[in-house]
Amino acid sequence: MLSDRSTATVRATLPVVGAAIGDIADLFYEKLFAAHPELLRDLFNRGNQASGDQRRALAGSIAAFATALVEQPGTRPDVMLERIAHKHASLGVTPESYEVVHTHLFAAIADVLGDAVTPEVAAAWDEVYWLMAGSLIAVEERLYAQRGVLAGDVWHEWEVAARVEETEDVATFLLRPAEDTPAPGFRPGQYVSVQVELPDGARQIRQYSLSCAPGSRLRSITVKRVLGQGSPDGEVSRYLHEHIRVGDLLRVSVPYGDLVLDHLDAPLLLASAGIGCTPMLSMLEYLAQEGHQGPVTVVHGDRSPADHALRTDHVRLAEKLPDAEAHFWYEVPEAGQPANRTGLVDLDGITVRPGTHAYLCGPLPFMRAVRAQLLEAGVRPADVHYEVFGPDLWLAAS
């Protein structure tokens, strides 16, 4: 993929670029938003920019892609590219965006590395960038074509048909198309982007997993109010909780997401923590609707039963499956909670069948711990699938 000459240059300069990639990412975003303030206002997640998560994810993904090119020249990091492309498609990113990013990214590289950026070095890293950008553009074009939409044309108006308060900080919004058009299909585990106009005029976007199964014209998203705990509260989740009621309209994208229920002929393990239960509820409902007969293990961890959003559905859907078992852990248990189900999720004592495909969603420490236990139990790394709510700092750092 990468030319021989550029491979040698990238290999030689990767330690230097890798050491400075954080500073490069910071300066890149500074330059990008100075030239295009509308991108921070209406496209990029301002919360992730403020926390630095998006910057770390960008830095990690570029370094990971370049490393793959020089260490495994016959392959591409397709898992990473697919995940990024799904997120981009849900935002309506178009090929022209990559020219804008290129301009400001390479200006940042030149400023941070200075005289080290010789014409040969610039040409090599330019080749890396366009290989990555070209790969993403190709995947995004395929994703748009699969949905039958033009690049970027992913947005539709949906009306709030019902709102259900699941817990003190979690609400489910049932949505129906406001236009007289069929609801786009989706696969269990996928998400939609939701864009709202905030009081300051910014039109911020967030992704929310669909917490229902395919098949109905109604769609549901289950939204946890993000409490800052020392930093600002989540802008969009707070707005949805405080302002959106039945009859209101929301701007919603067509569904995307690479965590999808598959491998139905294998034993399944659905593990979640906190609001990470939402894609798992979609998968469970689908399995129940389809009369799935195979073994399914449901694992969930939460602070308490009262904090466990969709708990009744979690139990009910697992009970509908003929060969399923559900295990719930609570840090603050209710009376009668078994001692071995108190605290954090621990798969010790849970049967993990040979050939299991596992689906994970929740905070990164939870997913790292569960993945490690699954690997110890003999699950192949390729058979552990996961979704991260927010920038994928796990994949970019792997």
Side-chain angles (χ1 to χ4, degrees), residues 7-132:
T7 296
T9 302
V10 170
R11 180 178 285 111
T13 56
L14 188 55
V16 175
V17 174
I21 197 68
D23 292 336
I24 292 169
D26 287 347
L27 185 56
F28 156 69
Y29 280 115
E30 181 181 323
K31 289 177 177 291
L32 177 69
F33 296 144
H36 299 277
E38 74 280 2
L39 294 179
L40 180 58
R41 185 179 66 242
D42 299 335
L43 180 64
F44 284 86
N45 182 321
R46 295 193 297 196
N48 289 337
Q49 286 298 321
S51 69
D53 285 351
Q54 183 61 56
R55 298 167 189 238
R56 288 191 291 274
L58 171 70
S61 63
I62 293 172
F65 186 80
T67 300
L69 288 179
V70 298
E71 292 185 355
Q72 299 173 309
T75 63
R76 295 184 314 181
D78 285 337
V79 171
M80 181 180 74
L81 294 172
E82 190 84 10
R83 176 150 299 188
I84 294 171
H86 272 273
K87 184 65 67 69
H88 285 181
S90 80
L91 295 168
V93 169
T94 60
E96 293 76 18
S97 304
Y98 290 92
E99 291 282 0
V100 176
V101 169
H102 178 269
T103 296
H104 299 289
L105 179 60
F106 276 76
I109 290 173
D111 284 358
V112 171
L113 298 182
D115 293 341
V117 186
T118 64
E120 183 179 15
V121 170
W125 282 93
D126 189 70
E127 189 175 344
V128 170
Y129 176 83
W130 284 114
L131 280 172
M132 185 172 182

Side-chain angles (χ1 to χ4, degrees), residues 22-311:
D23 292 336
I24 292 169
D26 287 347
L27 185 56
F28 156 69
Y29 280 115
E30 181 181 323
K31 289 177 177 291
L32 177 69
F33 296 144
H36 299 277
E38 74 280 2
L39 294 179
L40 180 58
R41 185 179 66 242
D42 299 335
L43 180 64
F44 284 86
N45 182 321
R46 295 193 297 196
N48 289 337
Q49 286 298 321
S51 69
D53 285 351
Q54 183 61 56
R55 298 167 189 238
R56 288 191 291 274
L58 171 70
S61 63
I62 293 172
F65 186 80
T67 300
L69 288 179
V70 298
E71 292 185 355
Q72 299 173 309
T75 63
R76 295 184 314 181
D78 285 337
V79 171
M80 181 180 74
L81 294 172
E82 190 84 10
R83 176 150 299 188
I84 294 171
H86 272 273
K87 184 65 67 69
H88 285 181
S90 80
L91 295 168
V93 169
T94 60
E96 293 76 18
S97 304
Y98 290 92
E99 291 282 0
V100 176
V101 169
H102 178 269
T103 296
H104 299 289
L105 179 60
F106 276 76
I109 290 173
D111 284 358
V112 171
L113 298 182
D115 293 341
V117 186
T118 64
E120 183 179 15
V121 170
W125 282 93
D126 189 70
E127 189 175 344
V128 170
Y129 176 83
W130 284 114
L131 280 172
M132 185 172 182
S135 299
L136 288 170
I137 290 169
V139 178
E140 288 155 21
E141 287 179 347
R142 169 173 57 80
L143 294 175
Y144 288 136
Q146 287 173 348
R147 289 293 178 195
V149 300
L150 298 175
D153 186 22
V154 299
W155 298 101
H156 297 279
E157 297 254 293
W158 287 67
E159 180 185 359
V160 178
R163 171 175 168 154
V164 180
E165 306 303 319
E166 305 289 356
T167 72
E168 184 178 345
D169 292 319
V170 176
T172 292
F173 299 86
L174 274 73
L175 311 174
R176 61 185 167 217
E179 307 149 359
D180 188 20
T181 56
F186 69 97
R187 299 181 65 186
Q190 292 192 305
Y191 55 77
V192 292
S193 288
V194 176
Q195 185 180 60
V196 300
E197 184 169 346
L198 299 173
D200 66 355
R203 298 194 301 171
Q204 283 282 286
I205 302 170
R206 299 294 185 271
Q207 287 75 37
Y208 297 107
S209 293
L210 291 158
S211 52
C212 56
S216 168
R217 198 162 186 264
L218 287 176
R219 300 285 185 266
S220 66
I221 56 172
T222 301
V223 179
K224 180 176 182 178
R225 188 200 310 261
V226 177
L227 302 176
Q229 298 177 338
S231 59
D233 291 349
E235 291 186 290
V236 174
S237 67
R238 182 179 62 188
Y239 184 88
L240 291 171
H241 274 261
E242 294 180 357
H243 298 285
I244 298 302
R245 299 294 183 267
V246 172
D248 289 339
L249 297 179
L250 288 174
R251 198 162 183 247
V252 180
S253 76
V254 295
Y256 287 105
D258 65 324
L259 180 76
V260 293
L261 186 61
D262 210 342
H263 311 288
L264 298 184
D265 56 343
L268 303 175
L269 186 144
L270 311 181
S272 56
I275 199 61
C277 65
T278 51
M280 304 307 160
L281 265 293
S282 176
M283 295 179 183
L284 270 176
E285 186 176 358
Y286 174 79
L287 292 171
Q289 285 182 357
E290 294 297 306
H292 184 73
Q293 299 296 305
V296 179
T297 302
V298 176
V299 169
H300 181 76
D302 229 307
R303 176 165 174 76
S304 73
D307 293 304
H308 183 170
L310 304 168
R311 183 190 187 202

